[in-house]
Amino acid sequence: MRQALHRLRIATHGKGLVPFTRDVRDWVTSTGIGTGLLTVWCRHTSASLTVQENADPTVLEDIKRYFEALVPEAPGRYIHDDEGPDDMPAHLRTMLTQTQISIPVADGRPVLGTWQGLYLFEHRRHPHQRDIVLHLIGE
């Protein structure tokens, strides 16, 4: 059994979904581990991870719009606003999604469906540098 650990730094441009499937695939291939389990971890409380449609960009736009309606930025609605009006909504959106994804690895590649891609979901208005940790265990 072997283990490998890696960090990705993903630049965001404000709210939205940022694809990073290729970075993960390339790193998994470089480890030489053929079969195992990959954990993808987001080290933030105002950004999250999702596996989502990677063919039609309107899906991503609809997801973004849905979360804007579900958890709106509304002055006076939230107590916590230390970093601005998008602060608490970003925390709530992260809580409703996920900060960790587990993906099987077979034949040296993450086992994703034909239309599945990995995305960082940025919940803040301004650009950020987000840290993602990849941990692969297998043989």
Side-chain angles (χ1 to χ4, degrees), residues 27-87:
W27 177 75
V28 168
T29 300
S30 77
T31 68
I33 295 175
T35 304
L37 183 63
L38 172 65
T39 301
V40 183
W41 173 254
C42 179
R43 299 183 61 208
H44 303 279
T45 60
S46 57
S48 56
L49 302 171
T50 188
V51 174
Q52 201 43 256
E53 162 86 44
N54 67 5
D56 183 350
T58 63
V59 171
L60 304 179
E61 185 60 32
D62 284 341
I63 290 168
K64 185 178 167 185
R65 288 180 185 187
Y66 176 81
F67 272 89
E68 291 292 330
L70 184 65
V71 187
E73 290 180 26
R77 182 173 186 163
Y78 310 105
I79 298 167
H80 178 75
D81 64 356
D82 292 353
E83 296 177 24
D86 68 335
D87 194 6

Side-chain angles (χ1 to χ4, degrees), residues 105-116:
V105 170
D107 300 320
R109 293 175 54 99
V111 181
L112 293 169
T114 301
W115 307 115
Q116 289 182 317

